[in-house]
Amino acid sequence: MDGYSARRTVTETGSTFALEGGVLVRTTEKGETQRLALADVRKVALRYVPATSDRWVCSVEGPAGRIWIPSVSFLGFGRAVDRRASFRAFVAQLCQAIAAEPSAASKAFVLGGGFPAWAALIMVIVFVVLVALLAMGVLGSVTEGKSPTWAILPIIVCSTSCAMVWRIWRMNPSGRFDPRALPPKFAA
């Protein structure tokens, strides 16, 4: 099976992920290795985590820790390469290999997670209320003949944050998935 390579964060070196004889192996450019036997996997979680660009993450958890694999490779601050096609193919092969293990019935294959949907919804509501209050403040400034430029940055910040949290809420439905067929929306 072909491996998958990505730089998970701006501060990390590149990582290569591969399946070797029933073991998920992550090797960094510095030579550090992280191993997780597929038989020991407890949970595979797929979720949407926006960063510089749309980013999907596959998190594989076992008793010795967790290996997470991103769909983007970071080049530097604010710059990332979208690797969704090869990422999705690797994750599909990984999930099928884990599902083929004799202990597959005890493994959890979950969507979403990491950030409860109700918390994201509450944050969306808070940001919408903040934008509405800022809009009323702008109207008040205009009716008093004052410049509303004070509100430009807060409106941009609140609107951008609201859009990001909305995407997190919409793209991370909680549930389970069939490891033999990834959900259509995942890294599409």
Side-chain angles (χ1 to χ4, degrees), residues 43-50 54-61 66-71 87 110-115 168 171-173 177 186-187:
K43 180 169 95 171
V44 176
L46 307 178
R47 66 183 183 274
Y48 174 76
V49 183
D54 286 343
R55 177 173 65 161
W56 295 85
V57 173
C58 172
S59 176
V60 183
E61 299 176 23
R66 173 175 72 107
I67 297 176
W68 62 276
I69 308 165
S71 68
F87 167 75
V110 298
L111 288 171
F115 195 72
I168 291 171
M171 301 297 278
N172 276 325
F177 71 95
F186 176 73

Side-chain angles (χ1 to χ4, degrees), residues 66-114:
R66 173 175 72 107
I67 297 176
W68 62 276
I69 308 165
S71 68
V72 298
S73 184
F74 287 92
L75 303 174
F77 288 102
R79 297 180 313 139
V81 175
D82 188 355
R83 312 239 11 243
R84 275 186 270 189
S86 57
F87 167 75
R88 183 175 168 89
F90 181 76
V91 170
Q93 292 175 347
L94 173 63
C95 288
Q96 289 170 4
I98 293 169
E101 289 292 316
S103 60
S106 66
K107 300 176 188 324
F109 294 90
V110 298
L111 288 171

